[in-house]
């Protein structure tokens, strides 16, 4: 299973780069995609604009243009019917925005799934970059198989039902290679939803578990998990290996490179997780596995949680009060 983040999917040429990285293999490959870079932010802004009753059409057109430009480059002779597929998705998106703007009775049910449209659009682009229907690649909309509910730690997967739905999907579409939308899922009431910001990493881990993958590779824009956030600490170094638990701690406490829920689904099956750089595939990356690695350093990295304060309550009345 290979996952490409928005930072690796900013334009048509990057879709081609990503498709090449997945390579040829006799083994079944699964590619999980994020939205094009910045698209989720734009969709959330569109949603807020429509909710306020302000004009959202020009931002909508900008988003459509951006995808049409990428589609034109990835489907020069129209053989993948990519423009038509994208237009269908944009028609649905427009209808949802209209409902939200007019405060239609179903508006509150449409809003949670709306930020996920970027991943749906992106999956069409990636499917074309991989050669479309003429190849062994199929496109799977995760909303058709992934069932989730709100849990204590964020979105939790209904594993039995999702496994069953994926088996049904594979019985119908065959066991070939699959492009899957990250980030999106469906709730028990049948409404589209998302796994929360940065959730495509989590999607990839869930599908690695469901497909019982040999390995999961998360392709991003840095060489791997670094010893600190490179935007704050330019001299941070890439960690060659770490344990699932160490990666989980770093992610939970703010390292944006991984969504904190990513580790659990792969850890459960002992699936090795690689973090690698799309722009530097020659770099070895970080291996996240059951063992921490043998470099002996007790501290792997530092992370930062912003906008927190410690409140200290003092006074005689507080003595011994937990
Ligand atoms: P993607 O679009 O591939 O999901 P993200 O932007 O979500 O990428 O995550 C990658 C970014 O995470 C890096 O560009 C980097 O700026 C940031 N980051 C923060 N902390 C770390 C860390 N410890 N190691 C690596 N990257 C980090
Ligand atoms: N596109 C979503 C986001 O920006 C999910 C992801 O990329 O992980 O939050
Ligand atoms: Mg991310």
């Amino acid at each position: 299973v290979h996952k490409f983040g928005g930072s690796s999917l900013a334009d048509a040429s990057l879709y081609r780069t990503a498709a090449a990285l997945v390579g040829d293999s006799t083994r079944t490959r699964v590619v999980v995609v994020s939205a094009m870079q910045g698209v989720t932010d734009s969709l959330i802004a569109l949603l807020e604009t429509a909710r306020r009753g302000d004009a959202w059409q020009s931002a909508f057109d900008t988003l459509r243009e951006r995808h049409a430009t990428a589609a034109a480059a990835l489907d020069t002779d129209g053989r993948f019917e990519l423009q038509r597929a994208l237009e269908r998705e944009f028609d649905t998106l427009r209808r949802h925005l209209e409902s939200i703007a007019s405060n239609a009775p179903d508006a509150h049910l449409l809003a949670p799934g709306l930020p996920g449209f970027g991943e749906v659009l992106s999956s069409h682009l990636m499917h074309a970059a991989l050669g479309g229907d003429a190849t062994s690649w199929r496109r799977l909309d995760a909303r058709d198989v992934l069932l989730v509910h709100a849990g204590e730690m964020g979105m939790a997967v209904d594993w039995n039902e999702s496994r069953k739905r994926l088996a049904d999907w594979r019985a119908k579409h065959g066991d070939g290679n699959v492009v899957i939308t990250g980030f999106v899922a469906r709730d028990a009431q049948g409404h589209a939803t998302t796994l929360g910001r940065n959730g495509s990493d989590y999607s990839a881990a869930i599908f690695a578990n469901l497909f019982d993958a040999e390995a999961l590779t998360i392709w991003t824009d840095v060489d791997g998990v670094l010893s600190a956030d490179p935007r704050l600490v330019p001299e941070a170094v890439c960690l060659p290996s770490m344990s699932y638990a160490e990666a989980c701690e770093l992610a939970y406490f703010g390292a944006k490179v991984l969504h904190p829920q990513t580790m659990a689904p792969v850890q459960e099956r002992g699936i090795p997780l690689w973090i690698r750089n799309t722009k530097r595939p020659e770099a070895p990356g970080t291996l996240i596995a059951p063992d921490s690695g043998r470099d002996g350093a007790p501290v792997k990295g530092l992370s930062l949680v912003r906008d927190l304060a410690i409140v200290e309550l003092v006074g005689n009345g507080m003595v011994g009060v937990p």
Side-chain angles (χ1 to χ4, degrees), residues 65-86:
E65 284 301 309
R66 181 171 172 205
H67 285 85
T69 304
L74 289 170
D75 188 16
T76 41
D77 57 7
R79 97 177 82 149
F80 303 130
E81 301 195 355
L82 191 49
Q83 298 285 10
R84 184 134 32 111
L86 294 185

Side-chain angles (χ1 to χ4, degrees), residues 3-8 34 198 201 219-222 224-231 250 254-258 302:
K3 178 258 173 178
F4 293 93
S7 57
S8 303
S34 285
N198 216 10
D201 298 330
W219 294 93
T220 184
D221 64 348
V222 283
V225 179
L226 307 177
S227 53
D229 184 339
R231 292 165 298 187
L250 269 181
K256 196 202 167 197
V257 65
L258 281 172
L302 300 173

Side-chain angles (χ1 to χ4, degrees), residues 71-130:
L74 289 170
D75 188 16
T76 41
D77 57 7
R79 97 177 82 149
F80 303 130
E81 301 195 355
L82 191 49
Q83 298 285 10
R84 184 134 32 111
L86 294 185
E87 276 310 311
R88 271 198 297 270
E89 303 295 356
F90 273 105
D91 283 345
T92 309
L93 177 60
R94 184 193 288 109
R95 272 189 278 111
H96 288 194
L97 286 165
E98 282 165 355
S99 296
I100 290 162
S102 63
N103 208 5
D106 62 345
H108 65 289
L109 302 174
L110 299 174
L114 198 132
F117 265 89
E119 273 66 12
V120 178
L121 299 164
S122 181
S123 67
H124 286 288
L125 297 173
M126 183 61 95
H127 188 222
L130 287 160

Side-chain angles (χ1 to χ4, degrees), residues 11 115 135 142 154 162 171 182 194-195 233 236 253:
D11 58 32
T135 60
S162 300
T194 70
L195 302 182
V233 185
F253 289 104

